[in-house]
Amino acid sequence: MVYHVQFPGLGLEFTLDRVALSIGGFNIYWYGVIIAAGMLLALLYAFRNAVDFGIDSDRLVDVVAIGTVMAIVCARVYYVAMAPFEYDSIWEMIDIRLGGIAIYGAVIGAFVFGGLAAKWRKIPLLPLFDLVALGFLIGQGIGRWGNFVNQEAFGTNTTLPWGMYSEGTEAYLRSVQVTLPEGMTIDPTLPVHPTFLYESIWCLVGFVVLALYVKHRRFHGQIFLLYAIWYGLGRFWIEGLRTDALLIGNTGLRASQIVAFVSVAAAFLLLVSGLRRSAGKPLMVTLAVSDIAKQDKAGSRFTADALPARAPHGEFVAATQAMNARLAALDLDMPEIEELEDPEPEMQPGAGEPAAGEPAPEETAGTPAPEREEAADESE
């Protein structure tokens, strides 16, 4: 499907084809391509900076693979569970090529199942959440442009210069899927808020801010909490403008606004508590050990090094390589050297014994001087 998108206030006009290319009659949509590009950039950032969070990149691969798959699954499940219409078949329910995934479902799935995978692969959980949160802001900021190509995730009418109009927005606003706040009316023929753009800008600005702050974090998990607050505040506002919000049953409450409110409140309380506990303490990051099995066998003979979180990236890389080289060179077949106390010197045979005919030292020392003289006279 091709859309003719206009921004009348800016004098801009675009022609968008939702299909990027076709292979053997199978269409690959720009929506999926853009989502994949956002995920790829997020992964590149995560793998480059994993060492700064004490995370081994090789073990991170497994966690990312599980977290990514479950993020997509949970995003679709979240959307289908709250969609304001019924699907004709199970295949239609699982077909995401036409859109229909919920970001909060993806976030929940990624952190829950990614966290379980991290436990399995022995990756520190809170540093992982900090790193992944930054990656999510990249992926969300870029991925929202998939909504632009699909002409979805837009808002109510606006007279602002960047108001957007297309035959896609008009057709949707005339459909029965529209969800509007009570008392609000909308004209399908007028420009609407490009809320996909608002969220994209909000996420990318959030990434820049948190990426600049990351070296100044005070405790593990702080970046994740700041992400939850930043994204939640923006999503609560933007969701109120949208015409396709997912509702909780027949309550009229917008699911994403409820989730955003709860996440912001909970994250704020945990952030305040964490800052109080970490006051005056520099945050130390335990360096990533590449060979966990050998570390476990080494026991007390090997202790992982740590660096302050403020240390530059290059220092983390060099220190991590040196530490893992030390572990690789460690010979586990060599017995541990234990410190022993110096034993008391043994008495030599005959040492300290009086010669024949000589009085014992104790006796001589204890004999009064006059008696010793008498004894000498008698012997003469």
Side-chain angles (χ1 to χ4, degrees):
M1 182 178 291
V2 177
Y3 292 118
H4 302 285
V5 184
Q6 304 173 39
F7 293 86
L10 300 176
L12 299 176
E13 186 173 341
F14 304 93
T15 298
L16 303 176
D17 189 344
R18 292 177 58 194
V19 179
L21 68 154
S22 296
I23 302 176
F26 183 82
N27 292 333
I28 298 177
Y29 292 87
W30 279 113
Y31 181 87
V33 172
I34 293 172
I35 293 290
M39 292 175 59
L40 178 61
L41 289 176
L43 292 177
L44 290 175
Y45 176 85
F47 281 109
R48 180 192 179 278
N49 294 280
V51 66
D52 293 39
F53 293 81
I55 296 173
D56 179 65
S57 296
D58 291 338
R59 282 179 282 131
L60 181 61
V61 171
D62 295 330
V63 176
V64 167
I66 294 173
T68 300
V69 171
M70 295 310 300
I72 297 172
V73 171
C74 292
R76 184 62 175 176
V77 169
Y78 186 104
Y79 182 85
V80 170
M82 298 187 180
F85 52 86
E86 296 182 1
Y87 292 91
D88 295 331
S89 67
I90 186 67
W91 302 112
E92 188 178 9
M93 292 177 66
I94 64 177
D95 186 3
I96 64 172
R97 291 177 301 162
L98 302 179
I101 58 176
I103 291 297
Y104 263 128
V107 172
I108 293 170
F111 281 103
V112 170
F113 290 96
L116 293 175
K119 287 292 186 182
W120 164 55
R121 295 297 283 135
K122 295 184 178 181
I123 287 179
L125 192 60
L126 292 181
L128 173 68
F129 281 6
D130 285 337
L131 179 62
V132 171
L134 289 165
F136 255 98
L137 289 171
I138 297 174
Q140 289 171 264
I142 294 172
R144 275 301 176 191
W145 285 89
N147 298 131
F148 173 59
V149 177
N150 275 4
Q151 280 297 280
E152 60 189 6
F154 48 81
T156 55
N157 292 136
T158 180
T159 57
L160 293 170
W162 49 82
M164 179 182 68
Y165 168 79
S166 73
E167 61 270 34
T169 61
E170 181 175 353
Y172 185 88
L173 293 175
R174 292 184 185 279
S175 74
V176 295
Q177 298 181 29
V178 178
T179 55
L180 297 175
E182 186 177 352
M184 179 179 289
T185 58
I186 193 166
D187 186 342
T189 64
L190 295 179
V192 295
H193 284 284
T195 52
F196 78 90
L197 176 62
Y198 299 167
E199 188 164 334
S200 175
I201 294 173
W202 184 263
C203 288
L204 293 177
V205 169
F207 166 74
V208 172
V209 171
L210 292 186
L212 292 174
Y213 177 75
V214 71
K215 286 294 183 181
H216 303 280
R217 64 192 189 278
R218 299 259 299 275
F219 61 91
H220 296 303
Q222 183 182 2
I223 300 300
F224 168 68
L225 295 177
L226 290 173
Y227 160 78
I229 293 171
W230 178 269
Y231 180 68
L233 289 174
R235 186 57 186 268
F236 188 89
W237 162 62
I238 294 169
E239 190 71 10
L241 297 174
R242 287 177 58 167
T243 59
D244 59 346
L246 298 174
L247 305 180
I248 300 178
N250 297 321
T251 63
L253 298 175
R254 297 179 174 226
S256 290
Q257 283 190 316
I258 299 299
V259 175
F261 177 81
V262 172
S263 62
V264 168
F268 179 77
L269 293 176
L270 291 172
L271 178 64
V272 171
S273 175
L275 290 175
R276 287 178 177 175
R277 291 197 313 270
S278 62
K281 304 175 185 177
L283 177 63
M284 301 298 293
V285 177
T286 302
L287 302 185
V289 175
S290 57
D291 193 341
I292 291 293
K294 187 171 184 179
Q295 180 190 26
D296 292 341
K297 291 179 182 178
S300 60
R301 283 180 283 181
F302 176 82
T303 302
D305 299 330
L307 283 179
R310 291 173 176 262
H313 174 73
E315 188 173 342
F316 269 102
V317 173
T320 300
Q321 290 175 346
M323 180 192 69
N324 283 303
R326 175 164 57 88
L327 176 61
L330 181 64
D331 186 359
L332 297 182
D333 294 329
M334 183 179 294
E336 293 188 54
I337 300 176
E338 298 180 357
E339 287 190 16
L340 300 176
E341 294 182 1
D342 293 332
E344 295 182 3
E346 295 182 2
M347 187 78 72
Q348 295 294 329
E353 295 180 4
E358 291 184 4
E362 294 84 356
E363 295 176 357
T364 305
T367 305
E371 293 184 4
R372 290 200 299 270
E373 292 176 0
E374 293 177 2
D377 293 342
E378 291 178 0
S379 62
E380 291 176 359

